Amino acid sequence: MAEERMLITGGQRLEGTVRVSGGKNTAVAVISASILSRTPCVIENLPNIEDVNVSVETLEHLGAKVSWDPKAGVMEVDASTICRTDVPLELCRRMRASSYYIGALLARCGQAQVPLPGGCDIGRRPIDQHIKGMRSLGAVVETQRGVVNARADKLVGGDVFMDMVTVGGTINVMLAASQAEGITTIYNAAKEPHIVDLANFLNSMGCRVKGAGTDVIRIRGVNTLACRRPYAVIPDQIETGTLMIAAAATHGDVTICGCIPTHMEALTAKLLEMGARVDERDDAIRVRSIGAHRAVTFKTQVYPGFPTDLQQPMSALLCTATGTSTVVENIFESRFRHLAEMERMGARVRIYEQTAVIEGVPQLHAAAVEATDLRAGAALVIAGLMAQGTTEIYNTHFIDRGYEHLEDKLNSLGAKIWRTRE
Ligand code: EPU
Protein backbone atom coordinates (compact mmCIF):
# COMPACT_ATOMS: atom_id res chain seq x y z
CA MET A 1 0.00 0.00 0.00
CA ALA A 2 1.23 3.51 -0.80
CA GLU A 3 2.20 5.93 1.92
CA GLU A 4 -0.62 7.89 3.56
CA ARG A 5 -0.98 11.48 2.37
CA MET A 6 -3.22 14.32 3.41
CA LEU A 7 -4.93 16.05 0.50
CA ILE A 8 -6.20 19.61 0.74
CA THR A 9 -8.17 21.44 -1.91
CA GLY A 10 -7.42 25.06 -1.12
CA GLY A 11 -9.44 28.21 -1.52
CA GLN A 12 -12.31 27.31 0.84
CA ARG A 13 -13.29 30.04 3.29
CA LEU A 14 -13.49 28.73 6.90
CA GLU A 15 -16.57 29.75 8.79
CA GLY A 16 -18.23 28.63 12.05
CA THR A 17 -17.34 27.50 15.55
CA VAL A 18 -14.80 24.92 16.62
CA ARG A 19 -13.79 23.60 20.04
CA VAL A 20 -10.13 23.32 20.96
CA SER A 21 -8.75 20.11 22.53
CA GLY A 22 -6.72 19.71 25.71
CA GLY A 23 -3.08 20.75 25.52
CA LYS A 24 -0.47 18.32 24.19
CA ASN A 25 2.46 19.73 26.10
CA THR A 26 0.55 19.96 29.37
CA ALA A 27 -0.93 16.46 28.87
CA VAL A 28 2.45 14.74 28.58
CA ALA A 29 3.71 16.54 31.71
CA VAL A 30 0.63 15.85 33.83
CA ILE A 31 0.49 12.18 32.75
CA SER A 32 4.13 11.68 33.78
CA ALA A 33 3.36 13.36 37.13
CA SER A 34 0.51 10.91 37.75
CA ILE A 35 3.06 8.23 38.73
CA LEU A 36 3.82 10.28 41.84
CA SER A 37 0.36 9.63 43.27
CA ARG A 38 -0.23 6.87 45.81
CA THR A 39 -3.92 6.86 44.88
CA PRO A 40 -5.45 6.43 41.38
CA CYS A 41 -5.52 9.63 39.31
CA VAL A 42 -8.23 10.67 36.91
CA ILE A 43 -7.03 13.11 34.23
CA GLU A 44 -9.60 14.79 31.99
CA ASN A 45 -9.64 16.85 28.79
CA LEU A 46 -6.72 14.89 27.31
CA PRO A 47 -6.29 15.10 23.53
CA ASN A 48 -6.50 11.92 21.45
CA ILE A 49 -3.03 12.22 19.92
CA GLU A 50 -0.03 9.99 19.41
CA ASP A 51 2.01 11.57 22.23
CA VAL A 52 -0.73 10.58 24.68
CA ASN A 53 -0.72 7.02 23.29
CA VAL A 54 3.05 6.87 23.80
CA SER A 55 2.55 8.14 27.36
CA VAL A 56 0.06 5.30 27.99
CA GLU A 57 2.54 2.73 26.64
CA THR A 58 5.22 4.21 28.90
CA LEU A 59 3.05 4.00 32.01
CA GLU A 60 2.06 0.42 31.20
CA HIS A 61 5.69 -0.54 30.64
CA LEU A 62 6.49 0.83 34.10
CA GLY A 63 3.78 -1.40 35.57
CA ALA A 64 1.02 1.15 36.13
CA LYS A 65 -2.59 0.21 35.39
CA VAL A 66 -4.04 2.61 32.84
CA SER A 67 -7.51 2.97 31.43
CA TRP A 68 -7.64 5.45 28.57
CA ASP A 69 -10.85 6.52 26.87
CA PRO A 70 -9.69 8.56 23.86
CA LYS A 71 -13.23 9.57 22.90
CA ALA A 72 -13.99 11.05 26.31
CA GLY A 73 -10.41 12.28 26.77
CA VAL A 74 -10.30 10.69 30.22
CA MET A 75 -7.47 8.60 31.63
CA GLU A 76 -7.28 6.77 34.93
CA VAL A 77 -3.82 5.88 36.18
CA ASP A 78 -3.17 3.57 39.11
CA ALA A 79 0.57 3.84 39.71
CA SER A 80 0.58 1.79 42.92
CA THR A 81 1.75 -1.22 40.90
CA ILE A 82 4.84 0.43 39.36
CA CYS A 83 7.64 -2.13 39.28
CA ARG A 84 10.20 -0.80 36.76
CA THR A 85 12.31 2.33 36.48
CA ASP A 86 13.43 2.16 32.85
CA VAL A 87 11.84 3.56 29.71
CA PRO A 88 12.53 1.64 26.47
CA LEU A 89 14.41 3.40 23.68
CA GLU A 90 11.56 2.69 21.26
CA LEU A 91 9.21 4.90 23.34
CA CYS A 92 11.81 7.63 23.96
CA ARG A 93 12.43 7.96 20.24
CA ARG A 94 8.77 8.65 19.65
CA MET A 95 8.29 11.35 22.27
CA ARG A 96 10.42 14.20 23.53
CA ALA A 97 8.60 14.28 26.85
CA SER A 98 9.93 10.80 27.75
CA SER A 99 12.64 12.73 29.58
CA TYR A 100 10.02 13.72 32.20
CA TYR A 101 10.17 10.13 33.46
CA ILE A 102 13.69 10.86 34.75
CA GLY A 103 12.38 13.41 37.24
CA ALA A 104 9.16 11.55 37.98
CA LEU A 105 10.82 8.15 38.53
CA LEU A 106 13.59 9.69 40.63
CA ALA A 107 10.96 11.22 42.91
CA ARG A 108 8.82 8.10 42.99
CA CYS A 109 11.40 5.28 43.03
CA GLY A 110 14.77 6.92 43.71
CA GLN A 111 16.14 5.85 40.32
CA ALA A 112 15.54 6.07 36.58
CA GLN A 113 17.12 4.71 33.42
CA VAL A 114 15.86 6.69 30.43
CA PRO A 115 17.47 6.94 26.97
CA LEU A 116 18.03 10.45 25.68
CA PRO A 117 14.73 11.64 24.24
CA GLY A 118 13.57 11.91 20.63
CA GLY A 119 10.67 14.02 19.37
CA CYS A 120 10.65 16.47 16.50
CA ASP A 121 13.84 17.20 14.58
CA ILE A 122 13.97 20.97 14.92
CA GLY A 123 17.51 21.46 16.13
CA ARG A 124 19.75 20.41 19.01
CA ARG A 125 17.75 19.49 22.05
CA PRO A 126 20.14 18.69 24.90
CA ILE A 127 18.91 18.02 28.45
CA ASP A 128 21.96 19.26 30.32
CA GLN A 129 19.86 21.71 32.37
CA HIS A 130 17.48 18.93 33.46
CA ILE A 131 20.46 16.90 34.64
CA LYS A 132 22.11 19.85 36.34
CA GLY A 133 18.87 20.53 38.23
CA MET A 134 18.58 16.96 39.46
CA ARG A 135 22.20 16.97 40.60
CA SER A 136 21.43 20.12 42.61
CA LEU A 137 18.87 18.02 44.49
CA GLY A 138 21.51 15.41 45.33
CA ALA A 139 20.90 12.89 42.54
CA VAL A 140 23.80 11.10 40.88
CA VAL A 141 23.19 11.34 37.14
CA GLU A 142 25.38 9.77 34.47
CA THR A 143 24.83 9.26 30.77
CA GLN A 144 26.24 6.02 29.38
CA ARG A 145 25.75 4.81 25.83
CA GLY A 146 22.91 7.27 25.32
CA VAL A 147 21.00 6.28 28.46
CA VAL A 148 20.55 8.64 31.40
CA ASN A 149 21.04 6.78 34.69
CA ALA A 150 19.82 8.74 37.69
CA ARG A 151 19.67 7.64 41.30
CA ALA A 152 19.29 9.17 44.72
CA ASP A 153 18.89 7.58 48.15
CA LYS A 154 17.29 10.83 49.18
CA LEU A 155 16.52 14.01 47.26
CA VAL A 156 17.06 17.25 49.14
CA GLY A 157 15.68 20.58 47.95
CA GLY A 158 18.21 23.08 46.60
CA ASP A 159 18.69 26.12 44.38
CA VAL A 160 18.63 25.51 40.64
CA PHE A 161 19.81 28.26 38.29
CA MET A 162 18.82 27.52 34.72
CA ASP A 163 21.40 28.77 32.17
CA MET A 164 18.60 29.34 29.70
CA VAL A 165 14.83 29.26 29.94
CA THR A 166 13.82 25.67 29.34
CA VAL A 167 10.28 24.34 29.46
CA GLY A 168 11.30 20.69 29.75
CA GLY A 169 14.07 21.42 32.26
CA THR A 170 11.68 23.37 34.50
CA ILE A 171 9.10 20.57 34.35
CA ASN A 172 11.64 17.83 35.07
CA VAL A 173 13.07 19.63 38.10
CA MET A 174 9.56 20.35 39.42
CA LEU A 175 8.77 16.63 39.17
CA ALA A 176 12.00 15.60 40.93
CA ALA A 177 11.54 18.25 43.63
CA SER A 178 7.94 17.32 44.42
CA GLN A 179 8.97 14.75 47.02
CA ALA A 180 12.40 16.13 47.94
CA GLU A 181 13.08 17.12 51.53
CA GLY A 182 12.78 20.89 51.97
CA ILE A 183 12.47 23.66 49.43
CA THR A 184 13.71 23.73 45.83
CA THR A 185 13.94 27.09 44.10
CA ILE A 186 14.17 27.21 40.31
CA TYR A 187 15.58 30.52 39.05
CA ASN A 188 15.11 31.60 35.42
CA ALA A 189 12.22 29.15 35.21
CA ALA A 190 9.99 28.84 32.14
CA LYS A 191 6.62 30.63 32.42
CA GLU A 192 4.60 28.75 29.78
CA PRO A 193 0.95 27.96 30.59
CA HIS A 194 1.71 24.25 30.90
CA ILE A 195 4.21 24.98 33.71
CA VAL A 196 1.36 26.58 35.64
CA ASP A 197 -0.90 23.64 34.81
CA LEU A 198 1.65 21.13 36.09
CA ALA A 199 2.06 23.19 39.28
CA ASN A 200 -1.71 23.15 39.77
CA PHE A 201 -1.79 19.39 39.28
CA LEU A 202 1.07 18.82 41.75
CA ASN A 203 -0.65 21.12 44.25
CA SER A 204 -3.92 19.22 43.81
CA MET A 205 -1.97 16.13 44.93
CA GLY A 206 -0.73 17.87 48.09
CA CYS A 207 2.58 19.34 46.88
CA ARG A 208 3.33 23.00 47.58
CA VAL A 209 4.44 24.80 44.45
CA LYS A 210 4.48 28.60 44.41
CA GLY A 211 5.47 31.10 41.76
CA ALA A 212 4.62 29.03 38.66
CA GLY A 213 4.04 31.51 35.83
CA THR A 214 6.91 33.71 37.08
CA ASP A 215 10.62 33.10 36.59
CA VAL A 216 11.17 31.94 40.18
CA ILE A 217 9.35 28.77 41.26
CA ARG A 218 9.52 27.38 44.80
CA ILE A 219 8.60 23.79 45.48
CA ARG A 220 8.24 22.44 49.00
CA GLY A 221 8.41 18.69 48.66
CA VAL A 222 6.04 16.42 50.58
CA ASN A 223 6.39 12.75 51.58
CA THR A 224 3.25 11.49 49.97
CA LEU A 225 1.35 12.80 46.99
CA ALA A 226 -2.18 11.60 46.37
CA CYS A 227 -4.78 12.49 43.74
CA ARG A 228 -8.06 13.30 45.40
CA ARG A 229 -10.22 14.54 42.57
CA PRO A 230 -10.25 14.47 38.74
CA TYR A 231 -7.91 16.99 37.12
CA ALA A 232 -8.69 18.56 33.73
CA VAL A 233 -5.72 19.80 31.68
CA ILE A 234 -5.85 23.27 30.10
CA PRO A 235 -6.78 23.80 26.43
CA ASP A 236 -4.07 23.64 23.80
CA GLN A 237 -2.47 27.03 23.23
CA ILE A 238 -0.79 25.94 19.99
CA GLU A 239 -3.86 24.28 18.50
CA THR A 240 -5.83 27.44 19.31
CA GLY A 241 -3.20 29.50 17.51
CA THR A 242 -3.12 27.16 14.53
CA LEU A 243 -6.90 27.48 14.15
CA MET A 244 -6.68 31.28 14.49
CA ILE A 245 -4.08 31.39 11.73
CA ALA A 246 -6.17 29.04 9.55
CA ALA A 247 -9.14 31.40 9.95
CA ALA A 248 -7.07 34.40 8.83
CA ALA A 249 -5.39 32.43 6.03
CA THR A 250 -8.74 31.62 4.42
CA HIS A 251 -10.19 35.11 5.01
CA GLY A 252 -12.72 33.34 7.15
CA ASP A 253 -14.82 33.99 10.24
CA VAL A 254 -14.10 31.41 12.91
CA THR A 255 -14.86 31.28 16.62
CA ILE A 256 -12.55 29.02 18.61
CA CYS A 257 -14.24 28.07 21.85
CA GLY A 258 -12.95 26.41 24.99
CA CYS A 259 -9.62 28.28 24.75
CA ILE A 260 -7.84 30.73 27.06
CA PRO A 261 -7.52 34.04 25.15
CA THR A 262 -4.87 35.46 27.51
CA HIS A 263 -2.49 32.68 26.40
CA MET A 264 -2.79 33.96 22.84
CA GLU A 265 -1.81 37.63 23.25
CA ALA A 266 1.43 37.49 21.21
CA LEU A 267 -0.33 35.91 18.22
CA THR A 268 -3.41 38.10 18.57
CA ALA A 269 -1.24 41.23 18.46
CA LYS A 270 0.46 40.05 15.23
CA LEU A 271 -2.83 39.10 13.54
CA LEU A 272 -4.23 42.52 14.38
CA GLU A 273 -1.08 44.14 12.95
CA MET A 274 -1.63 42.15 9.75
CA GLY A 275 -5.13 43.53 9.42
CA ALA A 276 -7.25 40.64 10.74
CA ARG A 277 -9.94 41.27 13.32
CA VAL A 278 -9.70 39.38 16.62
CA ASP A 279 -12.39 39.51 19.31
CA GLU A 280 -11.90 37.85 22.67
CA ARG A 281 -14.50 36.54 25.09
CA ASP A 282 -13.89 34.71 28.40
CA ASP A 283 -13.21 31.35 26.79
CA ALA A 284 -13.46 32.01 23.05
CA ILE A 285 -11.70 33.93 20.31
CA ARG A 286 -13.28 35.02 17.03
CA VAL A 287 -10.95 35.68 14.11
CA ARG A 288 -12.25 37.41 11.00
CA SER A 289 -10.35 38.58 8.00
CA ILE A 290 -11.23 40.29 4.76
CA GLY A 291 -8.85 41.62 2.16
CA ALA A 292 -5.07 41.37 1.97
CA HIS A 293 -2.85 40.94 5.02
CA ARG A 294 0.08 43.24 5.74
CA ALA A 295 3.59 41.78 6.11
CA VAL A 296 4.97 41.80 9.68
CA THR A 297 8.18 41.12 11.58
CA PHE A 298 8.32 38.84 14.60
CA LYS A 299 10.81 36.97 16.75
CA THR A 300 10.14 33.78 18.66
CA GLN A 301 10.65 34.09 22.38
CA VAL A 302 9.82 32.31 25.60
CA TYR A 303 6.32 32.91 27.01
CA PRO A 304 4.71 35.44 26.93
CA GLY A 305 6.63 36.20 23.71
CA PHE A 306 5.68 34.77 20.32
CA PRO A 307 5.83 30.94 20.67
CA THR A 308 8.26 29.04 18.48
CA ASP A 309 5.55 26.39 17.99
CA LEU A 310 3.43 28.94 16.12
CA GLN A 311 6.31 30.33 14.06
CA GLN A 312 5.83 27.70 11.37
CA PRO A 313 2.05 28.09 10.85
CA MET A 314 2.42 31.88 11.06
CA SER A 315 5.19 31.99 8.47
CA ALA A 316 2.90 30.05 6.11
CA LEU A 317 0.33 32.82 6.45
CA LEU A 318 3.01 35.43 5.72
CA CYS A 319 3.77 33.80 2.36
CA THR A 320 0.79 35.62 0.85
CA ALA A 321 0.93 38.87 2.87
CA THR A 322 1.53 42.11 1.01
CA GLY A 323 5.16 43.15 1.42
CA THR A 324 8.22 41.54 2.97
CA SER A 325 8.06 39.85 6.38
CA THR A 326 10.99 38.98 8.62
CA VAL A 327 10.86 36.05 11.02
CA VAL A 328 13.60 35.42 13.59
CA GLU A 329 13.65 31.97 15.20
CA ASN A 330 15.43 32.31 18.54
CA ILE A 331 14.59 29.00 20.23
CA PHE A 332 15.50 26.17 17.82
CA GLU A 333 18.13 26.27 15.09
CA SER A 334 16.41 24.26 12.35
CA ARG A 335 12.83 25.28 12.42
CA PHE A 336 12.56 26.68 8.88
CA ARG A 337 12.45 23.41 6.97
CA HIS A 338 8.75 23.92 6.17
CA LEU A 339 9.68 27.03 4.18
CA ALA A 340 11.75 25.00 1.72
CA GLU A 341 8.67 22.84 1.17
CA MET A 342 6.52 25.93 0.68
CA GLU A 343 8.87 27.15 -2.01
CA ARG A 344 7.50 24.23 -4.04
CA MET A 345 4.12 25.95 -3.64
CA GLY A 346 5.42 29.27 -4.97
CA ALA A 347 6.52 30.91 -1.69
CA ARG A 348 9.43 33.35 -2.02
CA VAL A 349 11.76 32.90 0.90
CA ARG A 350 15.39 33.62 1.80
CA ILE A 351 16.95 32.15 4.91
CA TYR A 352 19.95 33.66 6.69
CA GLU A 353 20.84 31.47 9.67
CA GLN A 354 18.06 32.14 12.21
CA THR A 355 16.23 34.69 10.05
CA ALA A 356 13.72 34.03 7.28
CA VAL A 357 12.78 36.81 4.89
CA ILE A 358 9.44 36.11 3.26
CA GLU A 359 8.38 38.13 0.27
CA GLY A 360 4.62 37.83 -0.05
CA VAL A 361 3.18 36.47 -3.32
CA PRO A 362 -0.45 36.95 -4.38
CA GLN A 363 -1.22 33.20 -4.50
CA LEU A 364 0.32 29.85 -3.53
CA HIS A 365 -0.28 26.87 -5.77
CA ALA A 366 -0.72 23.22 -4.85
CA ALA A 367 2.25 20.84 -4.77
CA ALA A 368 3.37 17.58 -3.16
CA VAL A 369 5.14 18.51 0.07
CA GLU A 370 6.62 16.73 3.06
CA ALA A 371 6.04 17.49 6.74
CA THR A 372 9.42 17.43 8.48
CA ASP A 373 8.05 17.82 12.02
CA LEU A 374 4.77 18.40 13.84
CA ARG A 375 4.39 22.17 13.42
CA ALA A 376 5.91 22.04 9.92
CA GLY A 377 2.96 19.74 9.15
CA ALA A 378 0.54 22.32 10.55
CA ALA A 379 2.22 25.03 8.49
CA LEU A 380 1.78 22.97 5.32
CA VAL A 381 -1.90 22.48 6.16
CA ILE A 382 -2.25 26.28 6.39
CA ALA A 383 -0.41 26.68 3.09
CA GLY A 384 -2.65 24.02 1.52
CA LEU A 385 -5.77 25.85 2.71
CA MET A 386 -4.54 28.99 0.94
CA ALA A 387 -3.24 27.37 -2.25
CA GLN A 388 -4.94 27.01 -5.58
CA GLY A 389 -5.46 23.31 -6.39
CA THR A 390 -5.00 20.16 -4.31
CA THR A 391 -1.91 19.97 -2.09
CA GLU A 392 -0.55 16.58 -1.01
CA ILE A 393 1.17 16.40 2.37
CA TYR A 394 3.43 13.42 3.11
CA ASN A 395 4.51 12.28 6.62
CA THR A 396 1.07 12.83 8.15
CA HIS A 397 2.20 10.91 11.26
CA PHE A 398 3.94 14.08 12.43
CA ILE A 399 0.63 15.94 12.45
CA ASP A 400 -1.04 13.13 14.42
CA ARG A 401 1.60 13.42 17.16
CA GLY A 402 0.10 16.69 18.32
CA TYR A 403 -3.23 17.60 16.70
CA GLU A 404 -6.48 15.83 17.53
CA HIS A 405 -8.56 15.27 14.38
CA LEU A 406 -7.19 18.42 12.73
CA GLU A 407 -8.81 17.71 9.38
CA ASP A 408 -12.20 16.91 10.96
CA LYS A 409 -12.14 20.22 12.78
CA LEU A 410 -11.13 22.17 9.67
CA ASN A 411 -13.66 20.28 7.50
CA SER A 412 -16.43 21.17 9.97
CA LEU A 413 -15.57 24.80 9.16
CA GLY A 414 -15.73 24.26 5.40
CA ALA A 415 -12.25 22.98 4.46
CA LYS A 416 -11.80 20.14 1.96
CA ILE A 417 -9.24 17.81 3.50
CA TRP A 418 -9.03 14.02 3.31
CA ARG A 419 -6.45 11.26 3.53
CA THR A 420 -5.52 8.66 0.99
CA ARG A 421 -3.13 5.74 0.56
CA GLU A 422 -3.83 5.30 -3.16
N1 EPU B 1 18.05 23.66 25.98
C1 EPU B 1 19.33 23.38 26.34
N2 EPU B 1 19.56 22.53 27.40
C2 EPU B 1 18.54 21.97 28.09
C3 EPU B 1 17.22 22.24 27.71
C4 EPU B 1 17.00 23.10 26.64
O1 EPU B 1 20.29 23.86 25.73
O2 EPU B 1 18.81 21.21 29.05
C5 EPU B 1 17.78 24.59 24.86
C6 EPU B 1 17.15 23.90 23.66
O3 EPU B 1 18.14 23.35 22.82
C7 EPU B 1 16.37 25.01 23.04
C8 EPU B 1 15.93 25.87 24.23
O4 EPU B 1 16.80 25.52 25.29
O5 EPU B 1 17.21 25.77 22.22
C9 EPU B 1 14.50 25.70 24.66
O6 EPU B 1 14.19 24.33 24.85
P1 EPU B 1 13.06 23.83 25.86
O7 EPU B 1 13.72 22.96 26.87
O8 EPU B 1 12.29 24.99 26.36
O9 EPU B 1 12.14 22.98 24.92
P2 EPU B 1 11.53 21.55 25.19
O10 EPU B 1 11.15 21.41 26.61
O11 EPU B 1 12.42 20.53 24.59
C10 EPU B 1 9.07 22.28 24.81
C11 EPU B 1 7.93 21.82 23.93
C12 EPU B 1 8.21 22.19 22.49
C13 EPU B 1 8.39 23.71 22.41
C14 EPU B 1 9.49 24.17 23.38
C15 EPU B 1 9.66 25.67 23.46
C16 EPU B 1 7.09 19.88 25.08
C17 EPU B 1 6.93 18.42 25.15
N3 EPU B 1 7.78 20.38 24.07
O12 EPU B 1 10.23 21.60 24.31
O13 EPU B 1 7.08 21.81 21.74
O14 EPU B 1 8.76 24.08 21.11
O15 EPU B 1 9.20 23.69 24.71
O16 EPU B 1 8.47 26.27 23.83
O17 EPU B 1 6.58 20.60 25.94
C18 EPU B 1 5.90 21.20 19.83
O18 EPU B 1 4.90 21.13 20.54
O19 EPU B 1 5.86 21.14 18.57
C19 EPU B 1 7.19 21.36 20.46
C20 EPU B 1 8.34 21.14 19.83
Side-chain angles (χ1 to χ4, degrees):
M1 211 182 334
E3 193 184 327
E4 183 182 83
R5 283 106 67 211
M6 187 183 273
L7 302 184
I8 306 178
T9 300
Q12 320 299 319
R13 181 171 186 266
L14 300 189
E15 210 174 352
T17 299
V18 62
R19 175 162 287 276
V20 74
S21 299
K24 166 180 96 76
N25 289 344
T26 192
V28 291
V30 166
I31 294 171
S32 73
S34 71
I35 71 166
L36 300 170
S37 175
R38 299 286 158 168
T39 52
C41 284
V42 176
I43 312 169
E44 299 174 340
N45 199 34
L46 290 171
N48 180 10
I49 55 172
E50 191 50 22
D51 273 17
V52 169
N53 296 333
V54 176
S55 301
V56 171
E57 286 181 53
T58 306
L59 293 176
E60 285 174 342
H61 170 86
L62 296 174
K65 291 193 194 110
V66 187
S67 105
W68 163 224
D69 179 346
K71 272 204 178 130
V74 178
M75 187 183 295
E76 187 168 335
V77 182
D78 176 356
S80 63
T81 48
I82 281 199
C83 54
R84 303 181 67 127
T85 54
D86 67 305
V87 179
L89 177 61
E90 186 260 324
L91 294 175
C92 290
R93 283 160 84 151
R94 284 160 59 196
M95 184 176 76
R96 170 79 189 165
S98 310
S99 65
Y100 298 164
Y101 290 89
I102 307 173
L105 284 166
L106 250 189
R108 170 68 203 258
C109 307
Q111 57 170 300
Q113 301 82 39
V114 181
L116 289 164
C120 282
D121 180 12
I122 50 182
R124 276 185 67 247
R125 298 181 77 176
I127 59 164
D128 54 300
Q129 300 301 304
H130 307 221
I131 291 173
K132 185 178 83 167
M134 288 177 214
R135 286 184 178 145
S136 305
L137 306 187
V140 176
V141 189
E142 287 154 354
T143 306
Q144 280 161 345
R145 297 157 72 98
V147 178
V148 179
N149 280 289
R151 60 186 185 281
D153 293 335
K154 186 167 114 177
L155 290 166
V156 180
D159 287 346
V160 179
F161 294 88
M162 295 291 183
D163 291 344
M164 78 280 298
V165 179
T166 149
V167 172
T170 304
I171 288 175
N172 230 339
V173 175
M174 286 167 74
L175 293 167
S178 62
Q179 298 198 28
E181 188 181 286
I183 295 179
T184 298
T185 307
I186 307 175
Y187 295 92
N188 201 21
K191 296 182 281 205
E192 268 66 6
H194 36 297
I195 302 282
V196 179
D197 208 31
L198 175 65
N200 288 339
F201 180 60
L202 291 173
N203 286 340
S204 78
M205 291 198 285
C207 192
R208 283 184 257 165
V209 184
K210 286 191 175 160
T214 76
D215 53 12
V216 180
I217 301 179
R218 284 201 172 77
I219 304 127
R220 183 188 285 275
V222 291
N223 279 336
T224 310
L225 294 171
C227 280
R228 293 185 184 86
R229 65 195 89 90
Y231 187 85
V233 302
I234 54 169
D236 197 302
Q237 177 201 13
I238 306 304
E239 188 199 359
T240 304
T242 306
L243 294 167
M244 290 169 71
I245 293 167
T250 60
H251 298 292
D253 181 352
V254 174
T255 300
I256 299 136
C257 60
C259 64
I260 301 180
T262 48
H263 292 167
M264 306 312 307
E265 296 301 350
L267 174 64
T268 297
K270 281 295 150 193
L271 290 177
L272 290 171
E273 204 180 316
M274 291 180 75
R277 190 164 162 191
V278 183
D279 297 300
E280 297 178 359
R281 291 207 313 265
D282 283 354
D283 66 345
I285 298 183
R286 181 177 179 190
V287 179
R288 279 175 280 181
S289 175
I290 38 167
H293 294 123
R294 288 185 286 275
V296 291
T297 290
F298 75 92
K299 298 178 185 184
T300 61
Q301 286 171 325
V302 296
Y303 188 82
F306 196 98
T308 171
D309 294 344
L310 286 175
Q311 176 267 110
Q312 292 154 297
M314 183 67 165
S315 50
L317 174 60
L318 294 177
C319 287
T320 61
T322 308
T324 302
S325 300
T326 306
V327 178
V328 182
E329 172 55 61
N330 284 316
I331 311 292
F332 292 110
E333 71 247 30
S334 19
R335 227 174 183 181
F336 284 142
R337 289 166 70 190
H338 60 295
L339 290 173
E341 294 300 304
M342 280 180 222
E343 282 184 308
R344 297 176 200 271
M345 303 174 71
R348 293 177 74 172
V349 181
R350 276 162 292 148
I351 295 170
Y352 308 95
E353 296 182 346
Q354 297 309 111
T355 303
V357 177
I358 303 171
E359 205 181 306
V361 294
Q363 176 76 60
L364 294 179
H365 51 78
V369 288
E370 202 173 308
T372 50
D373 65 79
L374 164 60
R375 309 300 172 189
L380 294 173
V381 170
I382 303 285
L385 290 171
M386 296 194 292
Q388 205 167 41
T390 300
T391 297
E392 275 187 78
I393 303 177
Y394 285 77
N395 284 345
T396 48
H397 61 94
F398 280 121
I399 298 171
D400 299 332
R401 274 198 47 217
Y403 287 95
E404 180 176 52
H405 308 311
L406 183 61
E407 66 259 43
D408 293 348
K409 289 187 182 181
L410 293 171
N411 286 343
S412 75
L413 298 169
K416 283 195 184 159
I417 308 180
W418 69 103
R419 295 193 193 212
T420 181
R421 284 182 180 274
E422 282 166 14

